[in-house]
Amino acid sequence: MLIEFSVLGPLTLNADTTPISVPALMQRRLLALFLSQGGSPLSIDVIADALWDNDPPRTARKTLLIYIHRLRRLLGEDIISLGTSGYRMRILPADSQTFIELAAEVVSAQQGGDPVRAYAVAERALALWRGPAYADTRDVAMIEAEAVRLEELKLTVFEEQMQAGLDLGRHAELVGLLTTAVAENPYRERLSGQLLLALYRGGRQVEAWEVYRQTSRRLAEELGVDPTPELQRLWQQVLRADPALAAPQQKSQPTGPNLLPRDIPDFTGREQDLSWLNEVAKVPAATAVISTIAGIAGMGKTALAVHWAHRNIDLYPDGQLYLNLRGYSPGTPVSSLEALGQLLRSVGLPHDVVPQREDEAAALYRSTLAGKRMLILLDNASSVDQVRPLLPGGADNMVLITSRDRLGGLIARDGSRRLDIGGLSPGEARRLLVQILGAARVDAEPEAAAELARACGHLPLALRIAAANLADRPHQSIAEFSKSLLGSDRLGGLEVDGDPHSAVRAVFALSLRDLDAESATLFRRIGLLPVADAGAWVAQALLGVAADRALASLAEASLITTRETGDGLRYHVHDLMQLYAREQAAEPDLAALRGAYETLLWHTIAADERLTVRSFPSPQWPVRWPEPGPRPEPADPSRWFSTERTFLIRAAQDAADRGWAGLAWRILATMMNFATHERYTQEWTRAAEYVYAGLDARGEGAAALLLGLGTMQQSRGNPLPARPLLRQARLNFVQCGDTRRAATAAIHLSMVYRRLGRARLAEASVNWAISHLDSAEPVAQLGRAYLALGNLRLEIDPDPEAAVTAFGKALTVMRATGDRSGEANVLACLGQARRAQGRLAEMIVHFEHAATIMAEVNDPVGLCMIEGGLARARLTAGELELARVHAERALGWAQNSHNLQGMKEALTVLGGIALDEGNLAGALDRLQEAVSVARRMAAPASLAHSLFPLAKTHAALGDLNAARAAAQEAQTLYSSINRPEHAEIAAWLEQLS
């Protein structure tokens, strides 16, 4: 999800072009606070002081954690991260960052003696402002400070623009702007001096005198100071009519030919691309500076080049040439010789002196343009060979080339610089719609306007066509038009009546004209994939042969883009281009897609087998490796899963839609070890539920997905929804004859029953698993069964010695099978058993050993559990500072992975630390939050563990009724699961009375 924030005005945010509303005022303030700090971390205490003006309420910490959780849920878990120094925002406001960059460019251009560029860039920078910075959240002092800084920079940019205008002799048009600015900023003496000079140069000496007089009097009466020496010197120059103050001569208009096409009056956005072209134009070179603008059809390459050329006409006084090379147009491309003839005639050479040989014409062209300062725009080029003879001589000429081909040879041999342009940003797309449809119509349907931009893939041509069609239908809403566009023939809807050549489909078709058969085949098959971004290995699977050459061909034609990553070559295709490719697909291409999904399944199996963190046995399906050569062996399987997870999820859903149910559920089932232990549980769960809906509810596929769904609910602390899923999974596996995975389901079902306090059912489930797994050849699942049995002995009707015996058996199996993650889990549980035995030194040794292993295998769920165990161990030992460090780490891991059990444990320990320190208010906040989390889990023991320390805190605060209620609830819960703690609480209640 692409998030874009804007703060130069009221705070706005878009996710993938869709506006997001944050109506709660305190949440908006919190979000604005994060954004205003430029990515710097903020502790909870600093945030609380900022939002409540240094007087936070007692519940501030709890309230802020809720706000942060809601923002993460709204924006994405990784947008706001927690580190050792506090919370920080990973994404900065797009408009303010762009403004800061443009402001630096303005100052640099003005100091470098380039007032033309300084004035133009300042205009773009100031256009980003929609009102006062952070307009709706400035009542927070830290936000106000950042807003003031931005507005001070805005004034600086304005002053630089006014100075650039004065340097260009544009004093007459600046008087109105400066008069308003001085009225709004009466103590800004530089503005007063600029207004004084503009009036003087315009022959308005009396008004200039009045400006100086009012400024001097205001400063003296209100501040008790004189004008700055600079302003006083300027006034003395005015009084003696110093010739140095005379207006500079305005630059004469270019005298050479101007053959540029008409600029688009409503050209919108592309500020970074325009700035990039500005920088390229500055580069001195022994030969012409060349900029190739590459991109797919309809991306606005020509519009960008023409717009930049019009804005920079003054830089090329000897003329601006334009030539459409027709590389991707109906008909035959212009030959190099024909193009040279047109260019030479454009600069005034008679037809009869133009050579008829290409090399002679190119030499004359270079000679003619040498020593001149001209701009040559070569539009719609087809190849390097077509363009190279058209490069002029001389160091001061600028050549712009637009092409769907990447023209790599120009970069290698001719010093070209390539700009690959993408779609419009959400803000740019909206501004384009406003230009064509009017602000009132777009403002009335902001979400529908964002949806329309998304339907057009943010492709400028598609968006212009859609807007033109809407402009012809003033009574149709944007929402209705977008719905019709998405619901039928999307590409067919992106054409204008009477202009078939401008239709998106027709423009795309021209890009395929010169593809070879293999590249065309790959293009069609890429269209069938459910993702726009994939690795080169996927392309190879689609073709059945090495795909490097075909991918390079598609990239050269700008039908896809490619990039090198740490995981190898990857490609990306625009969604409208992919839709067009899908239209071209035939029956053989569908067979190739199924083969690619089979290859994907094998890659997934290979990666799963190499994972170090495993909760499920490896699948034993009789699937044949579909490609020649050895099976893939990813060096970093977790990274491979992280990179390919979106493809895996969508391929499974797509396979289900196409009736390939066996492929669909096997792909998802092979992901389960990864999905359980990473932060992708939710997206896996949604996909599994989708695929499960189309399966035989009693079959193997349903069992595999139910096992994953139930286990993920159980591991996140949700035993009630996990129970029926795991029961059905075990039953299905038994009926299918899959004993090992039936035992796996039984182990997790035992954990669920333990959480629910159902001791008899928990013991029956785990013993069933052990009886079906116990054999001469131990498997990791047997170790997990003994681990579950040990926890059962430790938590329900506690017997620490029996628990240690079970954990010892588990440890033996884990070490024999090389399951490092399982070994760490057993060691952590052994630590809990030693704590129950009062052997605290051994407890800490076990926990630290477990933490070392978990860090090696990088298991976030395990790390969360072990950090929480270490925190409780240190608290038991009275080491409060060490306990706090571990508890805060555990809380961070738990929040990032939505682990309710981990959150509850960490908050309970933090509450205990505060209670031991005498910080009763802090203890109450933490423990109330822990109880709130525990109630969501429906786990009696977990809830009781947090209720009893909460009761003690209430008692310490003198609230005996609340203390009694919390203790009695904990006592009832412990009694219901036959835990001995109920007797301890009964004694405490008697003492309380």
Side-chain angles (χ1 to χ4, degrees):
M1 181 168 64
L2 175 64
I3 303 289
E4 184 178 280
F5 301 98
S6 301
V7 298
L8 300 183
L11 172 62
T12 63
L13 54 153
N14 291 277
D16 291 334
T17 73
T18 301
I20 298 179
S21 173
V22 186
L25 178 59
M26 287 298 284
Q27 273 186 260
R28 288 181 66 79
R29 287 173 174 165
L30 176 59
L31 178 57
L33 180 62
F34 280 131
L35 291 170
S36 70
Q37 298 310 297
S40 298
L42 297 172
S43 69
I44 285 289
D45 291 338
V46 169
I47 296 171
D49 286 341
L51 295 186
W52 281 283
D53 197 18
N54 293 312
D55 187 24
R58 185 168 50 85
T59 59
R61 176 181 288 272
K62 176 181 177 182
T63 302
L64 287 175
L65 288 173
I66 293 171
Y67 286 159
I68 291 170
H69 173 70
R70 288 175 180 170
L71 284 177
R72 281 173 153 174
R73 190 169 56 189
L74 179 69
L75 305 175
E77 290 298 321
D78 57 346
I79 298 297
I80 301 173
S81 62
L82 175 62
T84 55
S85 301
Y87 292 91
R88 61 183 288 271
M89 178 71 73
R90 288 182 55 253
I91 298 178
L92 301 179
D95 57 349
S96 65
Q97 291 303 112
T98 301
F99 172 71
I100 291 168
E101 292 168 5
L102 291 175
E105 188 177 341
V106 170
V107 173
S108 174
Q110 186 63 11
Q111 291 177 347
D114 191 351
V116 172
R117 192 176 307 284
Y119 194 95
V121 175
E123 196 167 19
R124 299 204 304 273
L126 296 171
L128 294 170
W129 288 72
R130 299 171 287 110
Y134 295 94
D136 52 350
T137 54
R138 291 182 69 149
D139 48 352
V140 177
M142 290 175 68
I143 301 174
E144 169 71 10
E146 172 62 7
V148 169
R149 184 185 75 85
L150 288 170
E151 286 170 355
E152 178 70 20
L153 184 58
K154 179 186 178 185
L155 269 176
T156 299
V157 170
F158 180 79
E159 289 173 342
E160 294 292 343
Q161 184 187 36
M162 295 299 99
Q163 190 58 53
L166 289 168
D167 293 345
L168 293 169
R170 300 171 64 171
H171 46 271
E173 62 190 88
L174 302 182
V175 169
L177 294 171
L178 284 165
T179 299
T180 301
V182 168
E184 293 173 351
N185 304 275
Y187 304 113
R188 197 90 174 186
E189 293 180 64
R190 187 183 183 195
L191 288 174
S192 297
Q194 289 172 333
L195 177 58
L196 187 157
L197 182 58
L199 289 168
Y200 171 76
R201 286 179 173 175
R204 300 161 66 174
Q205 283 87 345
V206 173
E207 293 170 79
W209 182 85
E210 183 62 22
V211 167
Y212 184 79
R213 188 186 64 81
Q214 289 180 1
T215 301
S216 299
R217 185 175 63 191
R218 184 185 305 114
L219 292 171
E221 293 177 355
E222 298 180 19
L223 302 179
V225 297
D226 293 326
T228 61
E230 291 82 5
L231 185 56
Q232 292 185 50
R233 281 196 298 271
L234 176 61
W235 176 239
Q236 292 299 320
Q237 288 179 287
V238 168
L239 290 177
R240 63 175 185 267
D242 190 334
L245 295 184
Q249 294 293 318
Q250 292 206 36
K251 291 186 177 181
S252 59
Q253 292 298 313
T255 56
N258 183 342
L259 306 182
L260 295 175
R262 173 176 174 268
D263 194 9
I264 298 176
D266 53 13
F267 184 91
T268 303
R270 301 292 193 194
E271 295 301 334
Q272 288 186 337
D273 297 331
L274 291 166
S275 297
W276 184 90
L277 288 169
N278 290 342
E279 291 303 312
V280 170
K282 293 182 199 176
V283 176
T287 57
V289 178
I290 305 167
S291 170
T292 303
I293 306 178
I296 73 168
M299 197 57 82
K301 299 180 292 297
T302 299
L304 172 64
V306 169
H307 185 70
W308 185 89
H310 277 283
R311 285 174 54 161
N312 291 275
I313 283 177
D314 289 347
L315 299 178
Y316 305 100
D318 294 321
Q320 305 85 42
L321 307 182
Y322 171 85
L323 185 59
N324 183 355
L325 297 174
R326 297 204 303 268
Y328 294 89
S329 300
T332 306
V334 176
S335 70
S336 299
L337 179 59
E338 182 183 354
L340 285 165
Q342 292 185 42
L343 291 169
L344 287 168
R345 289 191 292 274
S346 296
V347 294
L349 271 70
H351 176 79
D352 57 359
V353 304
V354 176
Q356 295 305 302
R357 284 170 49 109
E358 182 183 298
D359 57 345
E360 294 176 356
L364 178 60
Y365 170 69
R366 291 192 297 271
S367 174
T368 303
L369 269 62
K372 295 185 180 295
R373 190 172 180 85
M374 298 188 76
L375 172 64
I376 301 96
L377 201 169
L378 302 174
D379 191 20
N380 202 7
S382 64
S383 68
V384 171
D385 290 340
Q386 183 191 35
V387 170
R388 185 168 282 130
L390 311 182
L391 305 181
D396 295 325
N397 293 310
M398 170 75 172
V399 179
L400 278 178
I401 307 168
T402 76
S403 179
R404 300 183 199 178
D405 191 287
R406 293 175 65 78
L407 304 182
L410 292 183
I411 296 173
R413 284 183 49 188
D414 302 285
S416 169
R417 302 195 179 194
R418 181 166 55 226
L419 171 63
D420 292 313
I421 63 173
L424 297 175
S425 71
E428 291 171 339
R430 182 186 181 281
R431 290 197 292 275
L432 177 58
L433 289 175
V434 167
Q435 293 277 9
I436 299 173
L437 299 176
R441 195 169 177 185
V442 175
D443 289 344
E445 297 182 85
E447 293 183 3
E451 178 63 28
L452 177 60
R454 199 159 46 246
C456 294
H458 293 88
L459 193 71
L461 173 64
L463 199 55
R464 283 185 177 278
I465 291 172
N469 287 332
L470 264 171
D472 289 339
R473 306 169 191 176
H475 301 297
Q476 185 177 23
S477 70
I478 299 176
E480 289 171 348
F481 182 84
S482 297
K483 185 177 180 181
S484 66
L485 190 62
L486 289 169
S488 58
D489 177 11
R490 187 158 33 143
L491 291 176
L494 294 174
E495 58 185 38
V496 179
D497 292 342
D499 191 5
H501 296 305
S502 295
V504 170
R505 187 181 276 123
V507 171
F508 283 175
L510 292 169
S511 296
L512 272 65
R513 188 171 56 185
D514 298 325
L515 287 182
D516 61 83
E518 186 177 77
S519 300
T521 297
L522 180 58
F523 178 70
R524 295 194 309 271
R525 293 174 182 178
I526 281 174
L528 292 173
L529 291 176
V531 292
D533 187 282
W537 67 268
V538 178
Q540 179 171 326
L542 287 168
L543 271 183
V545 296
D548 294 353
R549 195 198 58 77
L551 284 172
S553 175
L554 295 179
E556 280 296 319
S558 291
L559 294 168
I560 63 172
T561 59
T562 60
R563 68 187 188 281
E564 285 290 346
T565 70
D567 303 304
L569 184 72
R570 298 189 70 81
Y571 76 82
H572 178 82
V573 58
H574 188 276
D575 61 347
L576 288 181
M577 185 66 79
Q578 188 175 31
L579 190 61
Y580 178 71
R582 191 171 300 152
E583 291 181 347
Q584 317 305 311
E587 195 64 33
D589 300 317
L590 284 173
L593 178 68
R594 175 161 188 146
Y597 285 169
E598 290 173 355
T599 300
L600 172 64
L601 174 58
W602 260 113
H603 277 273
T604 310
I605 292 171
D608 173 69
E609 289 174 347
R610 293 175 64 84
L611 285 173
T612 55
V613 180
R614 308 181 57 76
S615 297
F616 306 97
S618 295
Q620 301 296 317
W621 301 310
V623 182
R624 181 181 58 83
W625 173 236
E627 296 182 5
R631 286 173 46 187
E633 297 289 346
D636 186 342
S638 291
R639 176 171 173 152
W640 185 88
F641 271 115
S642 296
T643 301
E644 303 295 351
R645 73 182 190 281
T646 300
F647 182 30
L648 288 163
I649 292 289
R650 293 186 183 174
Q653 294 171 318
D654 185 48
D657 289 342
R658 295 182 186 279
W660 306 332
L663 267 175
W665 71 258
R666 283 182 170 88
I667 290 170
L668 289 177
T670 313
M671 288 183 70
M672 290 189 330
N673 280 311
F674 168 77
T676 300
H677 293 287
E678 293 290 341
R679 291 164 49 194
Y680 311 118
T681 300
Q682 289 182 326
E683 61 182 348
W684 185 93
T685 297
R686 287 192 295 268
E689 289 171 345
Y690 181 85
V691 172
Y692 175 81
L695 297 175
D696 174 5
R698 301 292 177 182
E700 180 188 9
L705 297 186
L706 287 170
L707 174 60
L709 289 165
T711 301
M712 289 177 196
Q713 288 284 4
Q714 171 253 322
S715 66
R716 291 163 61 195
N718 299 316
L720 284 176
R723 179 174 54 183
L725 301 175
L726 291 168
R727 278 175 21 191
Q728 187 62 50
R730 181 173 72 166
L731 179 61
N732 282 22
F733 281 131
V734 169
Q735 292 173 344
C736 294
D738 190 337
T739 302
R740 184 175 297 184
R741 285 195 290 172
T744 302
I747 293 166
H748 289 285
L749 187 58
S750 173
M751 297 178 195
V752 166
Y753 284 134
R754 173 167 56 83
R755 292 271 184 223
L756 294 172
R758 307 289 296 277
R760 185 179 61 81
L761 290 173
E763 186 162 1
S765 291
V766 73
N767 284 334
W768 187 93
I770 290 171
S771 68
H772 285 77
L773 289 170
D774 198 1
S775 65
E777 183 182 352
V779 293
Q781 297 309 305
L782 178 59
R784 296 186 184 281
Y786 282 123
L787 178 62
L789 179 62
N791 280 321
L792 184 60
R793 295 281 182 259
L794 192 61
E795 291 190 22
I796 299 182
D797 196 11
D799 184 347
E801 281 70 27
V804 169
T805 299
F807 291 145
K809 292 180 179 180
L811 192 60
T812 299
V813 174
M814 295 302 187
R815 286 173 173 168
T817 57
D819 188 338
R820 296 283 283 163
S821 176
E823 180 184 352
N825 273 305
V826 175
L827 287 168
C829 293
L830 267 173
Q832 299 281 19
R834 295 307 186 196
R835 181 165 68 91
Q837 293 174 318
R839 296 158 68 170
L840 300 186
E842 291 179 62
M843 167 191 71
I844 290 174
V845 168
H846 284 314
F847 271 117
E848 289 180 339
H849 189 183
T852 300
I853 296 175
M854 280 298 183
E856 290 174 6
V857 300
N858 191 26
D859 178 0
V861 174
L863 277 168
C864 174
M865 179 192 74
I866 289 170
E867 288 287 354
L870 273 169
R872 188 170 288 281
R874 296 296 185 184
L875 176 61
T876 302
E879 299 169 343
L880 300 187
E881 282 307 313
L882 282 173
R884 192 191 328 277
V885 169
H886 291 298
E888 291 286 4
R889 285 179 189 164
L891 184 60
W893 281 111
Q895 288 173 331
N896 286 334
S897 58
H898 306 284
N899 186 331
L900 296 180
Q901 177 68 19
M903 289 171 61
K904 195 276 308 182
E905 287 295 331
L907 289 165
T908 302
V909 172
L910 288 169
I913 293 168
L915 188 60
D916 284 1
E917 291 176 333
N919 178 9
L920 298 182
L924 186 65
D925 284 348
R926 290 297 202 176
L927 290 167
Q928 284 179 329
E929 189 174 358
V931 167
S932 176
V933 173
R935 291 193 189 283
R936 292 160 57 191
M937 295 164 51
S942 286
L943 178 56
H945 287 334
S946 298
L947 279 168
F948 191 26
L950 178 62
K952 293 178 179 178
T953 305
H954 281 308
L957 287 166
D959 190 345
L960 300 187
N961 288 333
R964 189 173 293 107
Q968 287 173 342
E969 184 180 1
Q971 182 187 29
T972 301
L973 290 168
Y974 279 135
S975 297
S976 70
I977 55 176
N978 197 28
R979 290 287 295 256
E981 289 94 333
H982 71 88
E984 178 188 352
I985 298 176
W988 186 85
L989 281 169
E990 185 176 347
Q991 187 179 20
L992 186 70
S993 300

